[in-house]
Amino acid sequence: MNLESYVLKLQQLNSSLNIEKIVRAYTFAEEAHRGQLRKSGEKYFIHPVHVSLILAELELDEDTIISGLLHDVVEDTKYIYKDIKDEFGEDVANMVDGVTKLGKINYESKEEQQAENLRKMFIAMAKDIRVILIKLADRLHNMRTLKFMPDEKKKEKALETLEIYAPIAHRLGISKIKWELEDLSFLYLEPESYYNLVTRVNKKRDERLGIINKVISDLEYNIKLVSINCDIYGRPKNFYSIYKKMTKQNKDFDEIYDLTAIRVIVDSIKDCYGVLGIIHSLWKPIPGRFKDYIAMPKPNMYQSIHTTVIGNTGEPFEIQIRTWDMHRIAEYGIAAHWKYKEGKSEEDNMEEKLSWLRQMMEWQKDLNDPKEFMDSLKLDLFTNEVFVFTPDGKVIDLPMGSTPVDFAYKIHSQVGNRCVGAKVNGRIVPLNFKVSNGQIIEILTAKNSNGPSRDWLKFVKSNQAKNKIRHWFKKERREENIEKGSEAFFKEIKKSGYTVKELVRPEWVEPLLDKLSCNNMDDLYAAIGYGGIMLSQVLPKLRDKYKFEQKELNKSNETDEELKGKIKERNSNKKIKSQAKGISVKGVDNLLIRYAKCCNPVPGDDIIGYITRGRGVTVHRSDCTNFEKTDDSKSRFIEVEWDTGEVDSSYAAQIQVIAPDRKGLLGELTVLISEMDLFVTGINAKITKNEIAVINLNIEINNAVQLNKLINKLKGMPKMIDVKRITS
């Protein structure tokens, strides 16, 4: 899209934008991304252009649109934060920086990486909600062009979109983006089901078009009789919501009647209820299918009246009634109703609308296990709500399946901690009672209460309640938790047929404690006692360590000399290519060969083979200090050499870069590495107290010559303190 077409499109979407400022950003981003291509072969700049247009469709301000144009500039080009700030102001620079920081860093597991990215996302959202709007627009355009990615990547991105980004769009009330993200994810995850459903829906919609048009005509006529201005149209349901209904309710496609909802938009709330009366006088409403989200809005600010009625043909259909303001919020969510547009006087109102985000950030702080965090997050994003009342009439929203204990903790931590009973609509109920829409909940408290019960964790639904209960036990009952946790720990060891001596060894336990953020075993026992850490996070890992050790010992009954002698006897003077690419070993056949991770040898390095008990031959660099070259170990060395016949093989190497910390340093490093046609497979970075950046880079390399060339180029960058290859 050229600049002229882009400007025309922007003016069509929003005539009040400062076009001159946006054009400057367009030119700036186009120059910055010049020469970069997407997987499709198109110019990379097409992506930020479309991201900015999606933001313009949401009717956002020019600073957000400009940030959409520039969102990849700091990460992928030579420009840094200061350049953006100087050219377009601090607001834009902060948004671009916020989106850049949502980029990925290497973690031990994919789940840990995803959990950490989401934590960063929520922090960014809390600082400036526009950051996540840019990220959603970025994901939407990536999903629209996903067909150019490999099949495995398509499924991975589609699943992440369906599990995380579509629910976030829903939570922010942006139904336009949510529906499209869901349908595109559905297309790549279940292509056969998707195309089958599309065909069947189109056929059935054609059949129902006449019925829907007749309903709209009758309704429009009767509403105009009472002089209410309205706009009525049919809205087709998105494919994924139909598919979800079929699978969830175990229904055949022919049993799904509400493929098209009829929407009535009027001028005032009074007119909404007037139209509702007309609808119910024309057609019979279905009991239990009426929802008043005007009186009780959803947490994502959605307001509308939904009613399902039986038509003259005997088929049910849904009608939604809302005002124009409600319609705009339903389509654009938070983007249509936020403090940057409403003015600072509305800031408190805005904070209330995003209270779910603040609560989510609170409970996730104490979750150490990435799997638990991800499970809790998905539950919080996906779960439907119930709306209940306090005795004084305040509406409280809770996840479906919540209990009075969830309600108590939603009111206040102390109300939950002192809860001894509950009333629902004036009647005493058990604390595990599941509340329903419209009920009035009253919590009975006692100052001398012993606090929450551990049994509550078995039935509470909301993450907020679970987190506060665990926090109470963590803080108030440490000694009791240690006793309870240690008892459970030792009991489980015994139950699984092991002894404490076999499993609890310092060299195995200490890394595990560090990973679980525990300083010592008492911290671990306490966390197990209050439910913060599950036994399933600890014991399987210790058992695996023990089993692996036993397996290795069983394999190594022969002496080193016997093992080596058998190898030589079998393969006298033969040079056989090993299982490790690019290595030839004298006198070895059918033996596993692997590269030592401590020194990562690459072609051109002097190398030596080392027979490892039960694990074949490990290839080290000759200068590796990871093993002692003693007389006792000499019998375990074996001659190895690089196979010069191997071509196009890549090897792992690690480089450490030490330099004064500055904005864009990481981007400069990756650009230089990319210019050499090399790939970065991992990055680990830290900043010292004196503002020095220490960056470890995992690089795919062909040989030592190429590696030395890269190191020299990196050393030539401005203000470098040191660049070196990492060895053991």
Side-chain angles (χ1 to χ4, degrees), residues 77-92:
T77 76
K78 64 183 179 180
Y79 293 102
I80 60 174
Y81 173 90
K82 188 176 182 301
D83 298 326
I84 307 295
K85 183 181 173 183
D86 291 347
E87 191 69 28
F88 300 101
E90 191 171 6
D91 247 16
V92 169

Side-chain angles (χ1 to χ4, degrees), residues 628-658:
E628 296 282 338
K629 296 183 178 66
T630 62
D631 290 338
D632 293 339
S633 65
K634 281 180 181 176
S635 62
R636 298 173 70 175
F637 290 111
I638 195 164
E639 218 176 306
V640 293
E641 61 186 43
W642 294 107
D643 182 0
T644 54
E646 275 292 338
V647 292
D648 296 332
S649 292
S650 59
Y651 302 85
Q654 277 195 312
I655 292 174
Q656 185 174 82
V657 177
I658 303 173

Side-chain angles (χ1 to χ4, degrees), residues 212 215-216 218-220 223 231-235 237 258 260-265 272 275-276 278-285 289-291 293 302 304-311 316-322:
I212 295 297
V215 169
I216 290 173
D218 291 348
L219 189 54
E220 193 168 30
I223 290 173
D231 189 6
I232 308 175
Y233 61 92
R235 180 194 68 78
K237 281 202 167 188
D258 54 346
T260 307
I262 295 166
R263 186 170 288 157
V264 184
I265 305 177
C272 289
V275 168
L276 178 66
I278 293 168
I279 291 166
H280 286 180
S281 68
L282 292 172
W283 301 286
K284 191 173 182 179
R289 296 295 302 273
F290 170 76
K291 293 171 185 173
Y293 294 119
Y302 178 86
S304 227
I305 294 172
H306 293 194
T307 184
T308 304
V309 296
I310 298 288
F317 54 89
E318 185 185 71
I319 302 178
Q320 300 170 357
I321 315 159
R322 60 178 68 150

Side-chain angles (χ1 to χ4, degrees), residues 65 107 313 375 393 439 449 454 465 496 541 561 674:
I65 293 167
Y107 291 90
T313 59
D375 290 345
Q439 291 177 330
S449 161
R454 292 185 193 277
S496 58
K541 292 180 173 63
E561 282 301 326
S674 178

Side-chain angles (χ1 to χ4, degrees), residues 216-252:
I216 290 173
S217 174
D218 291 348
L219 189 54
E220 193 168 30
Y221 173 77
N222 282 276
I223 290 173
K224 285 184 176 176
L225 284 179
V226 294
S227 303
I228 292 176
N229 291 323
C230 67
D231 189 6
I232 308 175
Y233 61 92
R235 180 194 68 78
K237 281 202 167 188
N238 69 314
F239 297 117
Y240 181 68
S241 66
I242 298 168
Y243 174 75
K244 198 163 62 170
K245 191 170 186 177
M246 288 167 62
T247 52
K248 209 172 186 180
Q249 299 179 12
N250 199 22
K251 286 186 174 182
D252 187 72

Side-chain angles (χ1 to χ4, degrees), residues 17 45-46 162 250 304 346 392 400 430 445 523 679 720:
L17 291 170
F45 182 57
I46 287 171
L162 196 59
N250 199 22
S304 227
E346 294 291 330
D392 59 0
M400 188 77 74
T445 61
D523 284 355
F679 294 97
M720 280 292 160

